[in-house]
Amino acid sequence: MQQDLPRHARAVIIGGGVIGCSVAYHLAKLGWKDVVLLERKQLTCGTTWHAAGLITQLRASHNLTRLAKYSQELYGGLEAETGAATGFKRNGSISVALNDERMEELRRGAAMARVFGVEIEEISAAECLERYPLLNGEGVLGGVYLPKDGQGDPGNIALALAKGARQNGVRIFENIAVTAIHRKDGRVTGVATTQCDIAGDHVVNCAGMWGHAGGRMAGVTVPLHACEHFYILTEGIPGLARDLPSLRVPDEQSYFKEDAGKLLVGAFEPVAKPWGMDGISEDFCFDQLPEDFDHFEPILEAAIARLPILETAGIHTFFNGPESFTPDDRYLLGEAPELKNFFVAAGFNSIGIGSAGGAGQALAQWMDRGEPPYDLWDVDIRRMQPFQGNRTYLFRRATEVLGLLYADHFPYRQYATARGVRQTALHERLEARGACFGELAGWERPNWYLPEAERAQGQKPEYAYSWKRRNWFEHSAAEHKAVREAVGLFDMSSFAKIRVEGRDALDVLQKVSANNVDVEPGRIVYTQWLNPRGGVTADLTVTRLSETRFIVITSAATGVRDLSWLQRAIPDEAHCIAWDATSAEAVLAIMGPNARDQLQPLTPADLSNDAFPFATAREIEFGMGLVRAHRITYVGELGWELYIPTDQARHIFDTIIERGADHGLRLCGMHALDSCRIEKAFRHFGHDISDEDHVLEAGLGFAVKLDKPTSRFGDFTGRAAVLAKKEEGLSQRLLQFRLNDPEPLLYHHEPIWRDGRQVGYLTSGNYGHHLGAAIGLGYVPCAPGETPAEMLAGSYEIEVAGERFAAEASLKPLYDPRSERVRA
């Protein structure tokens, strides 16, 4: 039947599942008019209708927990607002541990939950049985109970959101498929449908498992892949309590939910079954996939042993339906880097119902304000790399990520599938020398090295995971010691490298940079790029190569984000271009007090402090090649980063290694790099600094130059916010902490206590091998006018898995506070 579609909309939302309905609802709540939602078949017919409907609050970060908490609060009042039933109830949830490592994880998670304002209790094995009488307590060590977690009817929640959206003016059309996405000059302009074209100022891809294909229509990478997801629903069980909490037994990959007098038993099996590699049928609508009892049977056998009542409960439904998963088990949210005003909310990894309310609200605010409302880096689509849209890659990774939802979330856990896509020019040489590789943004990077003596005994450079000291702890400590006492070599080729050129390049960079980049060629400037609120959008260095050429060096993880942000900040009238030059150069970082002695015999260039001071860069002869040497550091020692044409990387590496024994050179990995940087209190973007962390409160005011020459494009972004913060004063400061006890380990999110009161949490943590204890960074509130000395006068403790440990606090780096070693 022909429908009366509009020819223009302010926003066109593609997909009528719970996510699309939530985005529509929240845009309408913000007062947006002319919002259109298009569903190819019927609302909820893809994944939403068969979701398990568990609604939990606790997530891996503060803001994701904030979104999840908002979701359950929204659903709690949605029925009263719209008159549409949602089936929502707060019946609580229990997660149990069957081994010490899982119990440690739950305890750390409980401490984090309390920091985030989530009500949670650690409960004993006996209390687990008391709250969940059906449970077989064999092997149960304890658990955690979240009383405000809940569950709901997924389809009805989506339909209630759709009704609320309609009540606020959104037009929703079913049986209208989008066949193309129109774009011009780097901006989305609308969509083509099976009925007509619709011009659109904004387009939102909420297409669920069709999201990957929807992205391809727009030339946008949306990395997700569908997997088969299994659960059974029993026959009715007489006397089954209707207020039974949901139960998770992650060590057996299973979850349990009361459902109208029946039990739903679901699984996140370790090796999943990807689905839809050849595309998804156009006719797919409320469909199920073929049963595969053999695949589900091992989970079911363990589930019956764990809940013996299942032995006599008949199976009413054996269900298999598709759900979409991303390469890192975190959903995709935000404006696509490739196309302005094209937004994505997809790939929800089986937590779509619990996340939809908050994700829809956050994306609507992002669209309304033109920037993220707060730090959403964990789920920001700009974290994804272009190659991750490759279907073969997604198929292979999907086999693993579904099961990782219930696997132990150990620190430093590495993916096992779809590896080796991005390798540096030195990969084989490092592998031969005992490198244990980790992955970041697809790059294979040495995280630590297994010494030759251990390899000779048959040991392999592989992770053994734990919350305690790992099998690589002492090896990384030795690498750390080499950097502090001799010299270490890091392969940093994964650095993202952005070339910025043109007669207006300086003015563009002056506009986006808080520091003054109008320096002589050959100077390196450490700077932040700020948002209008003074929050840190990027943390990087800018090196001036000539009057009109610059190179921006940033982390591998943020390369796509930073390049996109910069390109969009270039005014249309500017004569300036920026592009990704990452693969053109390998990078070797030689760091430590012996770095100069190590390098000087290999180059005719004068590396003395007078001739080659800190924060300078120049091209030098090295061995038989040419490199651009940057005197800069992220470990807090004398050192250089050598930027090498990729074709010369092996020669330069071999040249350095040949002279390594003379000065105690040791190959070092990323774990040692991070432990060194945290001793020096260097900030890490995405942990210690983010969009919502003010640059002054992060302790980075030294890199902000309010009196620098003004760009012809205006004051640098965020300048007004910096001035305002100076006027009103700081409300918090980033402190460094060192535990007095050398035994506990810190990672991040551990609660900070001051004078017996919880005041914050660690943003990052690692072991400081030189300082002899775990080190953390975290924000602590300060009163107006409170001096640094008054802040530090308090008694500080850090909570680790429920136990508090006394800590020394400092505003200055605990290691080399005057940076004398860096400038040696």
Side-chain angles (χ1 to χ4, degrees):
M1 182 178 72
Q2 192 80 358
Q3 300 184 66
D4 185 21
L5 264 65
R7 296 300 187 266
H8 177 270
R10 185 177 180 188
V12 178
I13 299 168
I14 304 171
V18 68
I19 307 300
C21 292
S22 179
V23 173
Y25 172 90
H26 286 95
L27 283 174
K29 286 287 187 179
L30 290 174
W32 279 44
K33 307 300 181 186
D34 301 324
V35 175
V36 171
L37 186 151
L38 305 175
E39 165 53 45
R40 52 179 289 279
K41 292 294 184 181
Q42 294 174 249
L43 296 182
T44 80
C45 74
T47 293
T48 297
W49 72 277
H50 64 71
L54 301 180
I55 300 167
T56 60
Q57 304 167 80
L58 185 59
R59 296 286 184 262
S61 69
H62 180 266
N63 281 333
L64 295 190
T65 299
R66 176 179 175 180
L67 297 186
K69 284 181 66 180
Y70 169 79
S71 291
Q72 58 97 11
E73 291 163 1
L74 171 67
Y75 303 158
L78 197 57
E79 186 169 341
E81 177 190 341
T82 65
T86 61
F88 177 74
K89 60 181 180 179
R90 290 190 179 95
N91 54 327
S93 74
I94 295 173
S95 295
V96 301
L98 305 183
N99 57 64
D100 290 335
E101 293 284 10
R102 182 71 71 176
M103 199 65 225
E104 174 86 1
E105 178 182 322
L106 293 182
R107 285 185 176 129
R108 285 178 175 265
M112 179 177 72
R114 286 186 282 269
V115 169
F116 296 165
V118 174
E119 190 176 334
I120 192 169
E121 301 174 39
E122 181 184 337
I123 56 178
S124 66
E127 289 171 317
C128 289
L129 292 171
E130 182 181 335
R131 294 182 186 274
Y132 204 96
L134 304 180
L135 179 68
N136 173 4
E138 182 179 355
V140 174
L141 301 183
V144 292
Y145 173 60
L146 289 88
K148 291 187 177 178
D149 279 359
Q151 62 189 59
D153 183 292
N156 282 343
I157 288 173
L159 294 176
L161 288 167
K163 185 174 181 181
R166 285 192 182 100
Q167 289 172 344
N168 287 282
V170 174
R171 302 182 67 185
I172 296 177
F173 298 90
E174 296 180 294
N175 297 302
I176 299 291
V178 171
T179 58
I181 294 172
H182 299 313
R183 44 197 161 136
K184 184 178 181 181
D185 299 329
R187 182 184 297 272
V188 72
T189 59
V191 301
T193 76
T194 46
Q195 183 168 312
C196 67
D197 285 3
I198 304 176
D201 302 325
H202 303 77
V203 174
V204 192
N205 180 353
C206 300
M209 56 188 170
W210 290 273
H212 182 273
R216 284 184 176 266
M217 284 186 194
V220 167
T221 300
V222 182
L224 57 82
H225 200 295
C227 282
E228 300 184 29
H229 185 52
F230 302 86
Y231 60 74
I232 65 163
L233 188 64
T234 70
E235 301 283 358
I237 299 175
L240 186 67
R242 297 300 180 93
D243 60 350
L244 201 64
S246 58
L247 173 70
R248 293 176 181 81
V249 189
D251 295 311
E252 294 174 344
Q253 298 88 43
S254 56
Y255 63 90
F256 306 85
K257 166 197 167 187
E258 185 278 330
D259 192 330
K262 306 170 185 177
L263 275 175
L264 183 150
V265 183
F268 291 101
E269 64 277 18
V271 181
K273 294 182 65 180
W275 178 80
M277 182 68 175
D278 298 323
I280 302 171
S281 168
E282 287 296 318
D283 297 326
F284 193 98
C285 181
F286 297 112
D287 284 1
Q288 299 185 34
L289 304 181
E291 293 183 4
D292 187 345
F293 191 80
D294 290 342
H295 184 79
F296 188 71
E297 188 175 21
I299 304 290
L300 183 58
E301 287 178 354
I304 291 172
R306 188 57 57 194
L307 264 64
I309 197 171
L310 294 173
E311 268 191 275
T312 55
I315 295 178
H316 178 275
T317 304
F318 184 103
F319 186 84
N320 180 12
E323 296 197 18
S324 57
F325 292 81
T326 65
D328 60 5
D329 262 341
R330 290 178 276 141
Y331 53 87
L332 307 172
L333 199 71
E335 187 178 16
E338 304 96 330
L339 190 62
K340 291 180 182 178
N341 284 357
F342 184 82
F343 289 81
V344 177
F348 278 79
N349 306 284
S350 274
I351 59 167
I353 305 302
S355 302
Q361 182 198 49
L363 190 70
Q365 291 174 346
W366 192 333
M367 295 169 67
D368 191 55
R369 300 177 185 183
E371 62 179 3
Y374 35 82
D375 176 29
L376 292 168
W377 178 235
D378 279 350
V379 293
D380 193 323
I381 191 171
R382 292 174 294 175
R383 76 188 186 276
M384 289 297 171
Q385 307 299 310
F387 83 89
Q388 290 178 302
N390 179 286
R391 283 171 287 191
T392 300
Y393 166 85
L394 288 168
F395 179 88
R396 293 180 180 177
R397 177 58 62 84
T399 62
E400 178 183 15
V401 290
L402 180 146
L404 288 179
L405 288 170
Y406 274 19
D408 289 279
H409 297 91
F410 289 119
Y412 310 109
R413 182 159 191 154
Q414 301 296 319
Y415 295 105
T417 57
R419 294 286 297 271
V421 180
R422 304 177 85 181
Q423 297 182 357
T424 77
L426 302 171
H427 185 88
E428 288 79 9
R429 278 167 166 70
L430 305 181
E431 186 176 37
R433 289 166 171 82
C436 181
F437 293 97
E439 180 199 355
L440 181 70
W443 283 103
E444 298 293 331
R445 310 192 309 171
N447 278 348
W448 56 278
Y449 289 85
L450 184 67
E452 185 176 2
E454 282 82 351
R455 301 200 309 273
Q457 296 172 1
Q459 295 185 37
K460 294 183 178 180
E462 298 173 343
Y463 278 93
Y465 295 113
S466 173
W467 286 94
K468 308 297 184 183
R469 282 165 166 71
R470 283 78 57 191
N471 62 319
W472 50 266
F473 185 86
E474 294 301 332
H475 303 315
S476 189
E479 296 167 18
H480 184 118
K481 183 178 180 180
V483 174
R484 292 286 183 244
E485 299 177 5
V487 59
L489 185 152
F490 301 88
D491 181 3
M492 302 299 295
S493 302
S494 60
F495 272 153
K497 310 166 191 79
I498 302 171
R499 288 277 189 162
V500 188
E501 298 189 4
R503 66 170 177 257
D504 291 328
L506 172 61
D507 280 300
V508 168
L509 288 170
Q510 284 287 71
K511 169 66 176 173
V512 300
S513 301
N515 209 336
N516 183 14
V517 299
D518 189 4
V519 293
E520 292 296 318
R523 296 291 299 181
I524 303 170
V525 178
Y526 172 59
T527 188
Q528 287 73 45
W529 294 347
L530 307 179
N531 60 32
R533 303 186 302 274
V536 181
T537 291
D539 181 68
L540 41 77
T541 63
V542 177
T543 301
R544 190 168 195 174
L545 303 177
S546 73
E547 292 299 316
T548 59
R549 296 185 301 119
F550 297 79
I551 187 166
V552 173
I553 306 298
T554 188
S555 74
T558 63
V560 170
R561 170 196 173 112
D562 294 347
L563 176 59
S564 170
W565 196 90
L566 176 59
Q567 288 175 329
R568 294 185 182 191
I570 298 174
D572 291 340
E573 68 273 21
H575 190 279
C576 175
I577 58 172
W579 78 95
D580 182 6
T582 300
S583 297
E585 293 180 317
V587 183
L588 291 177
I590 297 86
M591 299 288 157
N594 293 350
R596 183 178 286 116
D597 295 335
Q598 175 74 42
L599 297 178
Q600 187 61 84
L602 308 176
T603 175
D606 185 351
L607 302 184
S608 68
N609 200 43
D610 290 338
F612 206 142
F614 181 73
T616 58
R618 64 194 54 171
E619 186 176 273
I620 63 173
E621 294 182 14
F622 197 96
M624 295 187 292
L626 294 174
V627 306
R628 191 179 65 255
H630 292 213
R631 188 172 168 195
I632 197 74
T633 181
Y634 193 50
V635 298
E637 299 291 345
L638 169 69
W640 282 264
E641 293 169 359
L642 304 182
Y643 289 77
I644 311 161
T646 302
D647 56 350
Q648 298 176 31
R650 292 178 181 84
H651 165 67
I652 300 300
F653 175 81
D654 293 343
T655 301
I656 296 170
I657 291 295
E658 285 171 6
R659 299 293 297 268
D662 298 347
H663 303 286
L665 179 71
R666 188 178 187 120
L667 294 179
C668 299
M670 295 299 107
H671 294 331
L673 183 90
D674 191 63
S675 64
C676 286
R677 75 90 191 167
I678 205 165
E679 283 192 332
K680 192 67 175 70
F682 286 149
R683 281 54 170 156
H684 184 279
F685 184 85
H687 285 95
D688 310 311
I689 44 179
S690 71
D691 298 66
E692 59 184 303
D693 296 315
H694 197 283
V695 65
L696 298 185
E697 295 180 337
L700 297 172
F702 66 89
V704 178
K705 299 296 185 289
L706 291 168
D707 58 352
K708 71 174 185 174
T710 301
S711 163
R712 77 179 185 88
F713 302 117
D715 287 339
F716 70 84
T717 303
R719 184 176 186 273
V722 173
L723 287 168
K725 181 63 72 173
K726 279 182 169 289
E727 179 70 23
E728 69 188 38
L730 306 184
S731 60
Q732 61 179 359
R733 289 178 181 269
L734 186 66
L735 300 186
Q736 185 184 30
F737 299 92
R738 175 188 177 273
L739 297 188
N740 294 348
D741 186 332
E743 186 62 25
L745 301 178
L746 300 176
Y747 301 110
H748 59 98
H749 290 151
E750 289 87 354
I752 302 169
W753 293 76
R754 181 186 184 188
D755 297 331
R757 187 171 63 91
Q758 189 173 289
V759 294
Y761 60 91
L762 295 185
T763 51
S764 65
N766 204 327
Y767 202 85
H769 297 285
H770 181 83
L771 296 176
I775 309 296
L777 296 174
Y779 289 91
V780 173
C782 55
E786 186 175 14
T787 67
E790 290 170 334
M791 278 200 76
L792 299 177
S795 173
Y796 286 96
E797 297 171 301
I798 307 297
E799 182 181 344
V800 180
E803 185 177 357
R804 286 191 245 167
F805 295 88
E808 173 189 1
S810 179
L811 277 164
K812 295 180 180 180
L814 291 168
Y815 181 78
D816 189 24
R818 299 176 62 183
S819 292
E820 293 169 335
R821 297 175 69 87
V822 169
R823 301 176 184 278

